[in-house]
Amino acid sequence: TKKRGGKNGALLYDPLIQDNTRQRAEIEQDIEEALTNDWFEAYFQPIVDLGNNRVIGYESLMRLAHPRKGLLPPSDIIRIAEETGAIGRIGNRVFEKALANLVALTRASGDDKTYLAVNFSPLQLEQTLPMLLTTLTARHHIDPRRIVVEITEATLLHDNPQIRMVLDEFSRIGCRIALDDFGTGYSSLSYLSRFPVDIVKIDQSFIRSLAADEAELRHKSRMLVEGITAISHKMECSVTAEGVETKEQRDLLQGFGVDCGQGYFFARPQPVEQLIAAYDTARKTTSVA
Ligand code: C2E
Ligand code: MG
Ligand code: MG
Ligand code: MG
């Protein structure tokens, strides 16, 4: 089977996998083994305030650290786990890891305001999830107002009453709700008025075209990002740009009024130990100076 190197040097399964039941079964088995042996990890990617370049939050991104295959990225795993129903168990496991990571980071940085953004698939948004979140954050002594619940437009597509209830309950306990991959779904703008959204995350495809070679595309995507930002602000949502890879993109985004950025230009998703080491180094440097 072909594997190609992916972002972060991780291995991506071949796209043909969708038709290959043997490879599919292999992933299902990886998932079960990973749950049994505790191979799931929560990598953290910083989210930066463009106004002052400070880290204001971290997005938890799931990785399966396979002892033989290396680091497996979430895309295939999540798609298959949604079909088999394993997504709930994976999600809870990764969420617990992410909370423990946040506690460790808070201790290292001394900053107890940074938030933790967690991705939830539609199937995870069961009625019991807000209660579980309350229990787990209390156990880790984390203020639930530090949790950002990331959902995609697909979650809101059918205006499922149960999902609406779950989102309202998250809002009530103080979590913020972020609409992920914004602009790629069916009726993005209407979701802003119909659901309690606090943060709009502009999809990285828009950010990529900001510096496109083709002038027309470049111009239009700039107008779109500026327009989405203005509308989001009018709806009292803050705006984060995903997939910021260059200084040019970063500066353009700031000029368009975008509040925050996330992407390789600032930092890659990484194990929390690495972020803690960076804080320790920074502290030593400043205390020496
Ligand atoms: P997402 O929530 O939109 O996460 C952003 C994705 O963009 C991540 O991919 C991240 O590694 C990648 N990224 C960040 N900065 C850059 C950049 O500058 N350039 C490029 N090209 N990519 C960048 P990743 O980690 O592979 O995750 C893919 C998707 O899997 C996520 O998209 C999210 O929808 C889902 N996901 C990740 N972790 C979880 C989880 O614990 N639970 C659930 N349900 N879904 C998750
Ligand atoms: Mg996300
Ligand atoms: Mg996204
Ligand atoms: Mg995405």
Side-chain angles (χ1 to χ4, degrees):
T1 58
K2 269 193 302 179
K3 298 254 174 76
R4 59 191 163 85
K7 47 191 170 190
N8 313 333
L11 289 172
L12 299 183
Y13 290 95
D14 191 288
L16 287 175
I17 194 148
Q18 252 156 319
D19 308 313
N20 187 326
T21 44
R22 192 170 350 126
Q23 282 195 325
R24 200 200 142 86
E26 189 181 322
I27 296 184
E28 286 183 27
Q29 197 194 325
D30 287 344
I31 291 173
E32 289 310 319
E33 265 196 284
L35 284 167
T36 307
N37 299 307
D38 202 20
W39 294 338
F40 281 110
E41 290 178 10
Y43 272 39
F44 274 20
Q45 186 177 34
I47 299 167
V48 173
D49 182 333
L50 296 180
N52 58 17
N53 288 318
R54 282 174 186 276
V55 175
I56 60 152
Y58 298 93
E59 178 171 6
S60 162
L61 294 160
M62 181 263 271
R63 297 287 182 269
L64 195 165
H66 196 289
R68 290 180 306 279
K69 300 175 185 174
L71 212 54
L72 308 181
S75 43
D76 290 330
I77 294 165
I78 285 166
R79 184 170 46 78
I80 289 171
E82 281 177 336
E83 288 168 24
T84 63
I87 188 69
R89 284 182 292 148
I90 297 175
N92 292 350
R93 183 72 62 86
V94 175
F95 183 54
E96 281 246 41
K97 293 246 157 149
L99 288 178
N101 286 351
L102 183 67
V103 170
L105 252 182
T106 302
R107 203 176 297 129
S109 68
D111 178 354
D112 63 358
K113 298 287 180 289
T114 44
Y115 64 75
L116 170 66
V118 183
N119 295 284
F120 289 104
S121 309
L123 291 172
Q124 290 176 263
L125 297 183
E126 292 188 35
Q127 250 134 8
T128 50
L129 187 64
M131 179 53 98
L132 178 71
L133 186 141
T134 306
T135 309
L136 293 180
T137 49
R139 188 180 299 160
H140 287 89
H141 306 288
I142 291 170
D143 186 337
R145 286 174 298 187
R146 290 179 75 188
I147 306 295
V148 171
V149 173
E150 290 201 6
I151 55 169
T152 60
E153 295 170 2
T155 301
L156 307 178
L157 188 57
H158 301 293
D159 200 347
N160 178 326
Q162 176 185 317
I163 285 188
R164 178 176 285 279
M165 263 173 55
V166 169
L167 295 181
D168 285 341
E169 186 60 14
F170 275 133
S171 289
R172 203 188 58 75
I173 61 183
C175 303
R176 277 165 290 172
I177 294 170
L179 202 43
D180 206 351
D181 304 345
F182 188 82
T184 58
Y186 285 105
S187 47
S188 311
L189 291 178
S190 81
Y191 298 133
L192 296 185
S193 61
R194 287 156 51 215
F195 293 92
V197 178
D198 303 285
I199 299 169
V200 167
K201 296 190 79 173
I202 303 181
D203 189 66
Q204 50 188 59
S205 57
F206 295 99
I207 313 308
R208 206 171 300 131
S209 357
L210 289 178
D213 290 333
E214 201 209 319
E216 173 93 1
L217 173 62
R218 199 168 59 224
H219 175 72
K220 284 185 172 166
S221 60
R222 290 179 185 195
M223 296 302 107
L224 267 177
V225 169
E226 193 168 18
I228 290 171
T229 303
I231 290 173
S232 302
H233 284 163
K234 280 192 196 299
M235 302 306 290
E236 297 181 344
C237 295
S238 122
V239 178
T240 298
E242 306 192 76
V244 183
E245 294 186 352
T246 66
K247 172 97 167 66
E248 183 187 10
Q249 290 168 341
R250 183 236 174 274
D251 291 343
L252 283 167
L253 291 163
Q254 187 176 24
F256 297 149
V258 171
D259 304 288
C260 300
Q262 176 181 358
Y264 300 166
F265 173 70
F266 302 106
R268 293 193 171 240
Q270 53 198 291
V272 76
E273 294 76 22
Q274 222 162 292
L275 291 164
I276 290 172
Y279 277 115
D280 290 345
T281 309
R283 196 179 16 240
K284 278 188 202 117
T285 318
T286 34
S287 60
V288 168

